[in-house]
Amino acid sequence: DAGVIQSPRHEVTEMGQEVTLRCKPISGHNSLFWYRQTMMRGLELLIYFNNNVPIDDSGMPEDRFSAKMPNASFSTLKIQPSEPRDSAVYFCASRGTGTSPLHFGNGTRLTVT
Amino acid sequence: AQRVTQPEKLLSVFKGAPVELKCNYSYSGSPELFWYVQYSRQRLQLLLRHISRESIKGFTADLNKGETSFHLKKPFAQEEDSAMYYCALNTGGGNKLTFGTGTQLKVEL
């Protein structure tokens, strides 16, 4: 198993542009999480899905952020329009049932200039 | 609301010295706690969880409900322990893992 796969690894964009981050969870995992990592705030949960359904999006900072999970093997996190303060590393993680641990992707480092 | 506090952003120790990374939590229910580690240029990975009561890479952590703490300890630090450590809380029955802000451990020779 290749683990959780995120793309791109790095994204540099200008303020105002749309950014789409992608994630492929581990096959068979039924929960998917999007986290944002910054020096100041550490790891913040943005949103998570259970069986492709968004369960808790209270961590999504603004309406500029949206996330979808059209099927069990794919999710996107979109920022439109992007702002410099969105610069961070965005992690996707997936988890199976019960007390199984989170498995993280390598993250996408986003820089908005 | 649940909260995880890691008071130290950076902890620097000498090789061979004991290590204690502090973690306190706030949750009214029955907590489930984890430690995750992120080595340089690697993805976050699970280090240990309190329900397993295990020792991984020499690290242990005991849940103290009275003090609402789950400190990570190791008697003798090694250079390869240098990494970012995150304490995390899973609220019982739920699927939401709340992380602390992390502690960067630096083991010096």
Side-chain angles (χ1 to χ4, degrees), chain B residues 68-96:
Chain B
T68 60
S69 69
F70 188 56
H71 304 326
L72 183 67
K73 299 177 183 179
K74 184 170 182 176
F76 307 104
Q78 298 173 320
E79 193 179 357
E80 55 265 32
D81 296 329
S82 295
M84 191 73 169
Y85 291 80
Y86 288 94
C87 183
L89 167 68
N90 188 35
T91 54
N95 213 358
K96 185 175 178 177

Side-chain angles (χ1 to χ4, degrees), chain A residues 2-68:
Chain A
V4 176
I5 300 173
Q6 289 186 249
S7 64
R9 288 296 305 274
H10 302 273
E11 176 80 35
V12 181
T13 190
E14 291 184 345
M15 183 174 68
Q17 296 298 306
E18 177 180 298
V19 174
T20 300
L21 311 181
R22 297 173 175 80
C23 175
K24 181 182 184 332
I26 291 174
S27 177
H29 282 188
N30 62 346
S31 296
L32 183 141
F33 303 76
W34 282 101
Y35 284 90
R36 178 170 66 177
Q37 183 186 40
T38 60
M39 287 288 289
M40 290 299 295
R41 301 169 72 101
L43 270 170
E44 302 173 275
L45 178 63
L46 301 177
I47 184 171
Y48 81 90
F49 297 83
N50 211 29
N51 295 320
N52 311 340
V53 176
I55 302 299
D56 184 346
D57 65 354
S58 59
M60 296 284 262
E62 299 170 34
D63 290 344
R64 299 183 296 105
F65 285 69
S66 62
K68 293 182 180 179

Side-chain angles (χ1 to χ4, degrees), chain A residues 63-99:
Chain A
D63 290 344
R64 299 183 296 105
F65 285 69
S66 62
K68 293 182 180 179
M69 192 165 186
N71 57 61
S73 59
F74 183 65
S75 177
T76 59
L77 177 67
K78 187 176 292 187
I79 308 173
Q80 165 63 17
S82 58
E83 295 183 4
R85 60 195 168 112
D86 301 332
S87 298
V89 180
Y90 291 81
F91 286 101
C92 177
S94 69
R95 188 181 188 188
T97 56
T99 58

